[in-house]
Amino acid sequence: MTQNIINTIIEQISADGHRLTRQKRLVIESIAAHPHEHMSVENIYNYTQIHSTDISLTTVYRVVKFLTDNNILRKLNIYNDNNYYELIQADANMPHPHFICQQCGKIFDLDLNDILPQINKCQQHISKNYNFKIESSTIFYYGIGPDCRKPRLYK
Amino acid sequence: MTQNIINTIIEQISADGHRLTRQKRLVIESIAAHPHEHMSVENIYNYTQIHSTDISLTTVYRVVKFLTDNNILRKLNIYNDNNYYELIQADANMPHPHFICQQCGKIFDLDLNDILPQINKCQQHISKNYNFKIESSTIFYYGIGPDCRKPRLYK
DNA sequence: TTATGTGCAAACCGTTTGCAGGTGA
DNA sequence: TCACCTGCAAACGGTTTGCACATAA
């Protein structure tokens, strides 16, 4: 599973004629090992250090930029000023909202298959009424997540 | 109109027991004079300088933070790494999406009264299925805006 | 009068860059 | 071989902070 992700990315890189270095491989492995996390550059760097110190923070920045430019990673824009990245998988073109818990900071991916019709209706409305050509969207909901919603003490 | 906005904000500030200084007034006037723009701290600073040089960039940062903490401004999170701010008006609790033109960088406010039912349905779905308490949301669409969509040369 | 606000310069911190040396294809 | 990649240290740019002075209430 994780290995599949790694292989796919590596194939994509060489197919595009880019070099596969030790450092790129390290970053890719670190990201693919945590496919459902949203990681900052520093997070990724820390993961790489577990397996090898043979990579610098500068290079992680460069590889992350490389992966983002090549549509393997996507940069999220969350209001806490840190930049987070996530893997772009097969569902790349699906609207893909996130929920951020304001208490613990955890980021959740939302699967919106059930309400795709509503989402699409919104996009169509906007395209039509404003004459916009929509290429992508980022949707963040902020609030309190399930882990931080305290159970009632009595009912 | 603009004066209304200014008065409302000033009232709110003194009602909350905060001091009203020359500098705060300058920032508020600069923002209120352009109620439909999304401005960076530097933009705001530049507007203040038109009317008076009696304010520093540092103070603009501090006043913007003050206004944000007091729910007069809202910070937007757009992927181009600059922080932009907008006035929170009476419609504060309405979902309030934006569209960003990737060509010219212009930011558009979207009025979604017509499709509020769809929007609300999405939020309800998320709250229910994931057990989230949603407090706010930021929705950005990226693409090409009407000004940058070239007219066809022939049809 | 005095708690707060302000200006300046310096610190901060995430990110980028120049350069000399290393390495994948 | 050689174009591209990497590490280091230094630069960068937006933002914050410490401190002495100024000012609204």
Side-chain angles (χ1 to χ4, degrees):
Chain A
M1 173 56 177
T2 294
Q3 198 52 50
N4 281 349
I5 298 175
I6 296 175
N7 291 339
T8 307
I9 295 174
I10 288 178
E11 272 167 37
Q12 187 178 336
I13 289 177
S14 29
D16 289 352
H18 300 290
R19 284 195 194 165
L20 183 60
T21 59
R22 250 175 307 129
Q23 290 85 349
K24 267 183 199 151
R25 196 185 284 272
L26 246 175
V27 169
I28 293 166
E29 286 170 355
S30 299
I31 294 170
H34 310 269
H36 301 299
E37 281 180 42
H38 300 87
M39 295 196 278
S40 65
V41 170
E42 183 136 21
N43 291 153
I44 297 169
Y45 175 71
N46 290 336
Y47 276 126
T48 64
Q49 296 308 104
I50 296 172
H51 300 102
S52 160
T53 56
D54 189 20
I55 183 170
S56 71
L57 181 57
T58 302
T59 297
V60 177
Y61 271 105
R62 283 196 266 229
V63 175
V64 165
K65 183 176 190 320
F66 169 84
L67 296 173
T68 306
D69 290 346
N70 286 275
N71 293 310
I72 292 164
L73 287 183
R74 175 194 294 129
K75 187 174 169 183
L76 304 178
N77 301 94
I78 307 180
Y79 76 173
N80 57 9
D81 285 326
N82 281 320
N83 288 319
Y84 287 91
Y85 296 84
E86 70 176 1
L87 272 174
I88 299 179
Q89 311 257 12
D91 60 311
N93 296 320
M94 258 267 283
H96 177 174
H98 295 82
F99 176 88
I100 294 108
C101 177
Q102 291 174 316
Q103 199 151 315
C104 66
K106 197 170 164 188
I107 308 167
F108 299 84
D109 288 317
L110 306 182
D111 170 20
L112 291 191
N113 269 318
D114 325 2
I115 52 167
L116 251 190
Q118 277 81 17
I119 300 253
N120 287 334
K121 211 163 189 174
C122 293
Q123 293 219 11
Q124 281 162 23
H125 173 88
I126 294 165
S127 301
K128 201 168 165 184
N129 280 38
Y130 291 90
N131 192 26
F132 290 147
K133 185 161 181 291
I134 295 179
E135 304 279 3
S136 64
S137 62
T138 63
I139 301 180
F140 291 100
Y141 293 100
Y142 300 94
I144 308 295
D147 305 342
C148 297
R149 295 183 82 163
K150 297 248 172 61
R152 295 181 175 283
L153 295 179
Y154 49 89
K155 66 162 70 175
Chain B
M1 172 53 175
T2 293
Q3 198 53 49
N4 281 350
I5 298 176
I6 296 174
N7 291 339
T8 307
I9 295 174
I10 288 178
E11 272 168 36
Q12 187 178 336
I13 289 177
S14 29
D16 289 351
H18 299 291
R19 282 191 196 170
L20 183 59
T21 58
R22 251 174 306 128
Q23 290 85 349
K24 268 184 198 151
R25 197 184 283 271
L26 245 175
V27 170
I28 292 166
E29 285 169 356
S30 298
I31 294 170
H34 311 268
H36 300 298
E37 282 180 41
H38 299 87
M39 294 195 278
S40 64
V41 170
E42 182 136 23
N43 292 153
I44 297 169
Y45 175 71
N46 290 336
Y47 275 126
T48 64
Q49 297 309 104
I50 297 171
H51 301 102
S52 159
T53 56
D54 188 21
I55 183 170
S56 69
L57 182 57
T58 300
T59 297
V60 177
Y61 271 104
R62 283 196 266 228
V63 174
V64 166
K65 182 176 190 321
F66 169 84
L67 295 173
T68 306
D69 290 345
N70 286 276
N71 293 311
I72 292 163
L73 287 183
R74 176 194 293 128
K75 186 174 169 185
L76 304 178
N77 301 95
I78 307 179
Y79 75 176
N80 58 8
D81 286 323
N82 281 320
N83 288 319
Y84 287 91
Y85 296 83
E86 70 175 4
L87 273 174
I88 298 180
Q89 310 257 11
D91 60 313
N93 296 320
M94 260 267 283
H96 177 176
H98 295 83
F99 176 89
I100 294 106
C101 177
Q102 290 174 316
Q103 200 152 314
C104 66
K106 197 170 165 190
I107 307 167
F108 299 84
D109 288 317
L110 307 182
D111 170 21
L112 291 190
N113 270 317
D114 324 4
I115 51 166
L116 252 191
Q118 277 81 16
I119 299 254
N120 286 335
K121 213 163 189 174
C122 292
Q123 294 218 11
Q124 281 162 23
H125 173 88
I126 294 163
S127 301
K128 201 168 165 186
N129 281 38
Y130 291 90
N131 193 25
F132 290 148
K133 184 160 181 290
I134 295 178
E135 303 279 2
S136 64
S137 62
T138 63
I139 301 180
F140 292 101
Y141 292 101
Y142 299 94
I144 309 296
D147 305 342
C148 297
R149 294 182 82 161
K150 297 248 169 64
R152 296 183 175 284
L153 295 178
Y154 50 88
K155 65 163 76 173

